[in-house]
């Protein structure tokens, strides 16, 4: 066989096999037997082995996943992955509709879809091929899990048909059907492993496996429900998805378009019943405005789009007995009550514990030990108690009393004005708080120190090696190695990881400090505004609340943190150890707001910028970036090969089209 013949045959086999994948996994209509399929696959794999020069990550042979362990790198989402606002009643949907009609004074349609209960994924396609798959992560950046995603047979690696944009993003939900989920759990129980709480966790956990060949063995599937990009075929979400189906995507069949809410309500009623017959988990209905133009006009808040909303089905309920209540101490000292229940079946799993949130909830429910309670499972892993069946209360039942002293250290608890949560104020001496802070500090989104689990932290604390986060930087391998289950190699890895954490950027260090109410987003905002720990420590309450997104509660908490001598001591030590406590200088340079008030649409390929780079530059100079050309667009910034639709639209609306050079002149730079 010549090279050329091999190339042609490989090509042919790949197309054949992908077609059969599609028939089997997307359409559920296999055309050939498993044996015939295996024979073709075998031939392909043999040829790929003989002619390695034709290797291709998107070959169907790659769907079994390479047997290698690889850590994920992270990537930024080009368009953030927002979540949907939740509603539980028709009234709330009517409010949603009213809000839209205030903004939109023309007829429009809604699309109703099922809300699939899995884990969201963002797939990037270029030139008709899958190039990258990113998990939701924190919505702005996620893990790159392309190799794992390639193992999902219903996801096309190479697109069929025609008309797809050169580059676009397809979003959807990776899920594990009930059948596969049950099989997997049975197997895990047989092997003495912890079973997954629900199919959603199983899907999310599987995508996070670092060995694609293991992922390939798990029964994952994926529905695609959201297209993003610059040159989508039509202005209709619904029609675009129908077209995307012809490209080979598994677009759900259950999807309807309605002129108004009445149809949406009928859809909800129908599926609230019929969903119980579906072979996979759904937890509601998603309602979307169909027109992309209107979607863009409606825009989004920091978290949710204004053009879509979720209606959640009522959670399933069970009744059981309350046996006792435990009180747990978190890293901030917050005390969380947890109910121990008589085990009961609920939505396919056995429930033994339920969260109780706080003291007020216990009182509101007037909870007594021995009560018969209603438990519900929403999206959470831990179900919650939602009510008490008073008719079944034993006559001698005693009310559940919230503890007055910390269950870990005995310190009397405190509760701030207007707050529902009780705290243990013994920050410096209460073991679960100390350990919790260290666990938070080393966690992935914080300092990302690897090799130290909850148990090792516990051990280090008990051995007196670590009392606070700064002690981590004094650890020596010979102190770690003799500890239970560690050994020299792990000890060295831990030390190396601790050393590496000194390079973690300031915003994450700030998050890692565990200041109450300072989550990742707030930490980022603070790092950008104040730029160093010293500046933040000196910031007044007024300066803090003037910062965007920082309210009084957060400001107060920050002030309190920096007033405590112990915290200042920790910061001093971290500085001494070389931990990054200042923002990187290049971020500091502020660009003049030369583009303020201007909205740009970007299209084509640029000489001096990547597509993201040019958008960032626009924002840096105070301008805005929009996805499609409208009468509000100030300029269409066109590089090489701009999208024809955009050019046409700009011309017809009289929107000026400018070149990269003209753009550079606008910002007074010759080059980025
Ligand atoms: S559209 C901005 N459609 O629900 C809107 N999402 O809370 C993008 N989800 O992260 C999502 N089924 O993981 C959309 N038919 C559907 C969905 C769906 C499930 C998930 C998705 C998203 C979350 C939002």
């Amino acid at each position: 066989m010549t090279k050329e013949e091999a190339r042609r045959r490989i090509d042919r086999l790949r197309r054949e096999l992908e077609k059969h994948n599609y028939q089997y996994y997307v359409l559920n209509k296999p055309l050939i037997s498993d044996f015939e399929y295996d024979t073709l696959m075998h031939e392909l794999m043999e040829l790929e082995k003989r002619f390695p020069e034709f290797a291709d990550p998107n070959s169907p042979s790659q769907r079994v996943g390479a047997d290698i362990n690889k850590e994920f790198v992270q990537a930024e989402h080009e368009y953030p992955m927002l979540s949907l606002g939740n509603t539980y009643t028709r009234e709330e949907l009517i409010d949603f509709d009213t809000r839209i009609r205030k903004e939109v004074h023309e007829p429009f349609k809604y699309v109703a879809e099922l809300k699939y209960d899995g884990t969201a994924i963002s797939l990037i396609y270029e030139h008709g091929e899958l190039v990258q798959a990113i998990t939701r992560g924190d919505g702005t950046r996620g893990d790159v899990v392309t190799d794992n995603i390639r193992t999902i047979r219903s996801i096309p690696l190479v697109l069929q048909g025609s008309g797809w944009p050169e580059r676009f993003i397809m979003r959807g939900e990776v899920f594990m059907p009930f059948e596969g989920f049950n099989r997997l759990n049975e197997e895990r129980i047989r092997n003495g492993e912890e079973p997954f709480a629900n199919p959603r966790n199983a899907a999310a956990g599987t995508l996070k496996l670092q060995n694609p060949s293991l992922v390939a063995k798990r029964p994952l599937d994926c529905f695609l429900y959201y297209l993003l990009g610059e040159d989508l075929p039509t202005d209709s979400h619904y029609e675009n998805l129908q077209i995307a189906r012809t490209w080979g995507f598994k677009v759900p069949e259950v999807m309807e378009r309605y002129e108004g809410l009445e149809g949406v309500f009928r859809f909800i009623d129908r599926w609230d019943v019929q969903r119980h017959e579906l072979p996979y988990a759904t937890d509601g209905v998603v309602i979307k405005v169909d027109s992309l133009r209107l979607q863009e006009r409606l825009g989004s808040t920091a978290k949710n789009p204004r053009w879509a909303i979720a209606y959640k089905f009522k959670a399933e309920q069970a009744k059981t007995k309350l046996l006792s209540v435990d009180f747990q101490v978190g890293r901030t000292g917050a005390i969380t009550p947890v109910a121990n229940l008589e085990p009961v079946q609920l939505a396919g799993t056995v429930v033994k514990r339920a969260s109780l949130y706080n003291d007020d909830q216990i009182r509101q429910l007037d909870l007594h030990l021995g009560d018969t309670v209603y438990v519900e499972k929403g999206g959470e892993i831990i179900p919650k108690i939602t009510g008490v069946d008073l008719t079944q209360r034993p006559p001698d039942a005693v009310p559940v009393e919230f503890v007055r002293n910390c269950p870990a250290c005995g310190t009397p608890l405190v509760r701030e004005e207007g707050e529902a949560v009780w705290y243990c104020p013994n920050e410096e001496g209460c073991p679960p708080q100390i350990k919790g802070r260290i666990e938070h500090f080393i966690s992935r989104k914080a300092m990302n120190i690897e090799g130290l689990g909850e148990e090792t932290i516990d051990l280090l604390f008990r051995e007196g090696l670590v009392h606070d986060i700064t002690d981590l930087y004094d650890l020596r391998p010979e102190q770690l190695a003799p500890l239970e289950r560690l050994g020299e190699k792990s000890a060295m890895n831990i030390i190396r990881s601790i050393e590496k954490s000194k390079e973690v950027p300031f915003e994450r260090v700030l998050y890692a400090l565990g200041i109450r109410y300072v989550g990742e987003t707030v930490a980022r905002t603070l790092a950008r505004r104040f730029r160093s720990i010293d500046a933040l420590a000196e910031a007044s309450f007024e300066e803090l609340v003037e910062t965007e997104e920082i309210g009084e509660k957060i400001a107060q908490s920050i002030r309190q943190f920096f007033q405590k001598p112990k915290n200042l001591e920790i910061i001093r030590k971290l500085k001494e150890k070389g931990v990054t406590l200042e923002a990187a200088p290049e971020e500091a340079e502020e660009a003049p707001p030369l583009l303020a008030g201007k909205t740009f649409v970007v299209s084509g390929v640029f000489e001096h910028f990547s597509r993201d780079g040019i958008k960032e530059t626009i924002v840096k100079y105070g301008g805005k970036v929009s996805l499609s050309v409208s009468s509000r667009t100030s300029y269409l910034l066109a590089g090489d090969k701009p999208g024809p639709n955009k050019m046409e639209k700009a011309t017809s609306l009289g929107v000026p089209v400018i070149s990269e050079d003209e753009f550079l002149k606008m910002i007074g730079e010759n080059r980025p």
Side-chain angles (χ1 to χ4, degrees):
M1 191 179 245
T2 68
K3 235 186 183 155
E4 183 50 27
E5 281 164 348
R7 194 188 58 74
R8 268 202 304 251
R9 181 69 188 150
I10 287 176
D11 221 45
R12 178 76 207 255
L13 285 165
R14 284 178 181 164
R15 267 181 287 132
E16 274 285 293
L17 283 159
E18 269 313 270
K19 184 181 87 189
H20 292 302
N21 268 332
Y22 176 72
Q23 287 290 338
Y24 186 93
Y25 292 101
V26 180
L27 300 182
N28 253 325
K29 285 186 198 124
L31 297 176
I32 57 174
S33 69
D34 287 3
F35 176 75
E36 286 166 299
Y37 180 89
D38 290 344
T39 313
L40 292 174
M41 181 62 92
H42 186 76
E43 186 187 347
L44 173 63
M45 288 169 111
E46 282 300 310
L47 281 175
E48 284 180 343
K49 213 176 340 167
R50 261 176 65 201
F51 298 91
E53 58 271 47
F54 300 132
D56 182 344
N58 283 337
S59 165
S61 62
Q62 300 307 301
R63 290 195 183 269
V64 293
D67 184 14
I68 40 165
N69 280 291
K70 207 168 79 182
E71 280 177 34
F72 300 125
V73 291
Q74 270 116 52
E76 196 115 346
H77 290 296
E78 202 170 319
Y79 306 89
M81 283 183 89
L82 302 174
S83 57
L84 293 168
N86 284 332
T87 58
Y88 300 87
T89 62
R90 270 156 213 262
E91 287 69 47
E92 287 171 289
L93 287 184
I94 294 171
D95 291 346
F96 167 72
D97 182 63
T98 313
R99 280 199 299 278
I100 291 177
R101 285 180 201 280
K102 271 206 190 114
E103 183 77 22
V104 175
H105 306 284
E106 57 183 280
F108 64 92
K109 292 184 186 137
Y110 286 121
V111 179
E113 300 166 21
L114 288 173
K115 187 167 190 303
Y116 303 96
D117 197 9
T119 181
I121 191 77
S122 188
L123 308 173
I124 302 171
Y125 284 83
E126 279 176 9
H127 315 292
E129 291 206 32
L130 175 69
V131 292
Q132 199 175 44
I134 315 175
T135 62
R136 179 163 193 279
D138 62 3
T140 51
R141 44 193 297 119
D143 286 330
V144 175
V145 292
T146 322
D147 293 334
N148 285 351
I149 284 296
R150 283 200 179 95
T151 69
I152 302 177
R153 307 291 205 278
S154 55
I155 292 180
L157 304 179
V158 178
L159 299 183
Q160 314 170 7
S162 59
W164 18 265
E166 274 307 282
R167 179 186 156 84
F168 67 95
I169 294 167
M170 184 53 125
R171 294 209 173 138
E173 200 82 355
V174 172
F175 64 96
M176 191 177 286
F178 289 128
E179 199 194 299
F181 167 74
N182 291 333
R183 227 180 320 120
L184 174 65
N185 264 356
E186 280 160 24
E187 187 187 311
R188 288 175 76 85
I189 292 166
R190 262 202 312 280
N191 297 339
E193 291 166 297
E194 190 70 27
F196 286 108
N198 53 45
R200 171 165 36 86
N201 288 4
T206 302
L207 270 196
K208 291 266 153 79
L209 289 175
Q210 290 182 340
N211 183 329
S213 79
L214 297 179
V215 179
K217 297 196 179 88
R218 300 262 184 96
L220 291 182
D221 204 339
C222 184
F223 273 135
L224 286 317
Y225 49 58
Y226 186 26
L227 261 169
L228 278 155
E230 313 225 332
D231 298 297
L232 302 182
T234 77
D235 180 56
S236 154
H237 163 73
Y238 182 88
E239 273 153 34
N240 285 342
L241 281 184
Q242 308 312 313
I243 294 170
R245 188 180 284 130
T246 69
W247 302 337
F249 288 107
K250 185 159 176 162
V251 172
E253 296 286 343
V254 182
M255 181 188 304
E256 302 288 346
R257 200 153 48 155
Y258 299 105
E259 305 276 339
L261 277 188
E262 292 71 40
V264 172
F265 288 151
R266 269 183 278 128
F267 184 93
I268 289 175
D269 288 339
R270 179 161 83 247
W271 284 102
D272 201 357
V273 178
Q274 285 187 17
R275 71 185 179 112
H276 296 292
E277 279 143 45
L278 293 171
Y280 42 76
T282 55
D283 61 344
V285 166
V286 179
I287 298 118
K288 303 175 183 171
V289 169
D290 186 40
S291 158
L292 306 189
R293 182 176 50 83
L294 294 181
Q295 287 183 2
E296 198 184 334
R297 164 122 57 100
L298 289 161
S300 53
T301 68
K303 282 200 193 116
N304 306 321
R306 292 200 186 84
W307 48 266
I309 201 156
Y311 172 87
K312 299 273 268 211
F313 294 131
K314 249 208 157 24
E316 287 177 65
Q317 260 194 353
K319 231 177 182 186
T320 186
K321 210 170 232 144
L322 174 66
L323 301 176
S324 62
V325 177
D326 289 339
F327 294 88
Q328 295 177 342
V329 189
R331 74 174 157 87
T332 60
I335 310 291
T336 322
V338 178
N340 295 308
L341 307 168
E342 210 166 80
V344 64
Q345 273 284 337
L346 177 61
T349 54
V350 177
V351 172
K352 296 187 208 117
R353 285 160 80 74
S355 57
L356 276 167
Y357 299 119
N358 55 44
D359 195 7
D360 290 348
Q361 207 211 355
I362 294 179
R363 277 174 220 235
Q364 250 164 38
L365 292 168
D366 184 29
L367 214 53
H368 285 50
L369 291 175
D371 264 345
T372 297
V373 294
Y374 296 100
V375 282
E376 266 183 23
K377 202 148 61 173
E380 314 77 16
I381 309 163
I382 305 184
K384 50 189 177 215
I385 295 185
T386 54
V388 177
D389 182 353
L390 290 175
T391 63
Q392 309 229 18
R393 174 169 294 166
D396 56 346
V398 291
V400 172
E401 285 287 345
F402 206 92
V403 283
R404 297 275 146 224
N405 293 76
C406 175
C409 70
T411 307
L413 301 180
V414 295
R415 177 168 164 159
E416 270 157 50
E417 275 275 317
E419 278 228 30
V421 182
W422 285 96
Y423 287 96
C424 166
N426 182 16
E427 276 170 40
E428 288 161 40
C430 180
Q433 292 189 56
I434 298 172
K435 286 186 278 184
R437 281 197 297 268
I438 300 171
E439 278 161 25
H440 171 74
F441 185 76
I442 65 168
S443 64
R444 202 172 67 109
K445 289 178 177 175
M447 304 304 274
N448 193 20
I449 296 175
E450 291 167 348
L452 282 174
E454 207 174 305
E455 282 166 40
T456 317
I457 297 286
D458 189 49
L459 213 58
L460 291 173
F461 178 75
R462 276 192 284 133
E463 296 280 325
L465 289 171
V466 174
H467 304 96
D468 66 43
I469 51 178
T470 63
D471 294 334
L472 292 170
Y473 295 94
D474 288 327
L475 287 174
R476 293 187 310 273
E478 63 272 22
Q479 292 174 307
L480 289 172
L483 297 179
E484 261 170 78
R485 277 190 287 172
L486 275 185
E488 248 164 62
K489 192 156 162 253
S490 324
M492 274 318 292
N493 285 340
I494 293 171
I495 299 289
R496 222 172 288 136
S497 191
I498 291 174
E499 202 43 41
K500 214 173 101 194
S501 76
K502 293 180 182 170
E503 287 156 30
V504 162
F506 175 49
E507 57 182 60
R508 274 170 54 198
V509 179
L510 194 50
Y511 167 68
L513 289 176
I515 305 172
R516 195 183 292 170
Y517 309 127
V518 179
E520 281 174 277
T521 323
V522 171
R524 197 175 312 140
T525 310
L526 290 170
R528 291 205 180 137
R529 163 73 179 79
F530 294 97
R531 317 222 45 91
S532 76
I533 199 81
D534 293 338
L536 181 62
E538 279 162 23
S540 66
F541 180 81
E542 288 71 30
E543 280 174 288
L544 288 165
V545 285
E546 272 166 23
T547 309
E548 218 180 315
E549 288 178 271
I550 309 296
E552 292 188 1
K553 205 163 94 174
I554 303 178
Q556 198 181 7
S557 161
I558 295 168
R559 288 304 309 141
Q560 274 171 4
F561 181 88
F562 288 109
Q563 272 155 7
K564 292 198 178 119
K566 170 80 183 173
N567 291 335
L568 298 177
E569 177 64 14
I570 285 182
I571 288 164
R572 190 187 61 75
K573 279 194 196 154
L574 288 178
K575 235 186 246 172
E576 206 175 86
K577 306 288 177 198
V579 171
T580 312
L581 290 164
E582 279 178 23
E586 63 266 23
E587 288 176 36
E589 108 193 22
E590 276 224 2
L594 296 170
L595 308 178
K598 302 273 185 283
T599 302
F600 290 77
V601 172
V602 175
S603 187
V605 182
F606 298 92
E607 193 186 338
H608 300 299
F609 301 90
S610 68
R611 208 188 272 261
D612 285 346
I614 205 157
K615 288 181 185 170
E616 273 163 26
T617 309
I618 292 170
V619 174
K620 188 168 124 193
Y621 284 93
K624 276 197 195 145
V625 180
S626 160
L627 289 184
S628 63
V629 179
S630 74
S631 57
R632 301 188 205 185
T633 309
S634 318
Y635 301 101
L636 172 61
L637 172 49
D640 193 26
K641 299 210 191 75
N645 296 346
K646 290 214 170 99
M647 292 295 279
E648 208 173 293
K649 190 101 178 267
T651 323
S652 72
L653 290 173
V655 171
V657 180
I658 59 164
S659 69
E660 186 174 355
D661 279 345
E662 285 170 292
F663 174 72
L664 284 170
K665 281 198 197 109
M666 271 185 184
I667 56 173
E669 286 184 21
N670 292 321
R671 191 165 294 278

